[in-house]
Amino acid sequence: QVQLVESGGGLVQAGGSLRLSCAASGRTFSTCAMGWFRQAPGKEREFVTAMSRCIPSYADSVKGRFTISRDNAKNTVYLQMNSLKPEDTAVYYCASRGSQVGDITTTATYKYWGQGTQVTVFS
């Protein structure tokens, strides 16, 4: 099994930045199999960013503002969020596909999930 623990969420003013971290433990998979999703109240969990063959892809809503990075030696993936907007407010989840293959933009492809970390952006 895999355990994922997110950290780094918080309250930030619009235009500001946050960096989220997701540390994996237990069964070790490549950090390239990890990604980020977010969920606002009353809305479905949506794709933010993930990697395919270690190459990142981003939702249109965050392109140019968010960056996914990884440190495989630390089994950790990061989400750098810049130019934050109120509409970015959500619980952010990291996830791992493990050995599964599929569409990296859909939640069903991911086998392991973190507990989530709240990001609140105020104007």
Side-chain angles (χ1 to χ4, degrees):
Q1 293 295 103
V2 173
Q3 295 81 48
L4 304 175
V5 179
E6 297 115 328
S7 61
L11 182 67
V12 64
Q13 189 171 18
S17 299
L18 284 174
R19 190 184 75 158
L20 308 183
S21 299
C22 178
S25 61
R27 174 72 168 88
T28 300
F29 295 97
S30 172
T31 53
C32 291
M34 297 172 66
W36 292 91
F37 291 75
R38 66 187 183 187
Q39 188 168 24
K43 300 183 70 175
E44 293 187 355
R45 194 167 300 185
E46 68 174 1
F47 170 75
V48 176
T49 179
M51 291 171 283
S52 178
R53 299 175 66 187
C54 301
I55 300 171
S57 296
Y58 299 92
D60 288 342
S61 59
V62 306
K63 282 180 181 175
R65 300 188 298 119
F66 290 12
T67 304
I68 188 171
S69 62
R70 65 191 184 96
D71 186 337
N72 212 53
K74 295 182 178 180
N75 294 314
T76 299
V77 168
Y78 305 93
L79 181 64
Q80 179 67 46
M81 304 185 294
N82 298 327
S83 301
L84 282 161
K85 305 174 181 179
E87 51 262 46
D88 295 318
T89 295
V91 176
Y92 283 71
Y93 298 89
C94 66
S96 175
R97 301 189 295 276
S99 61
Q100 295 186 170
V101 296
D103 183 355
I104 66 169
T105 70
T106 184
T107 59
T109 303
Y110 294 80
K111 187 174 182 179
Y112 307 103
W113 293 85
Q115 82 286 354
T117 185
Q118 176 71 47
V119 172
T120 302
V121 184
F122 66 94
S123 60

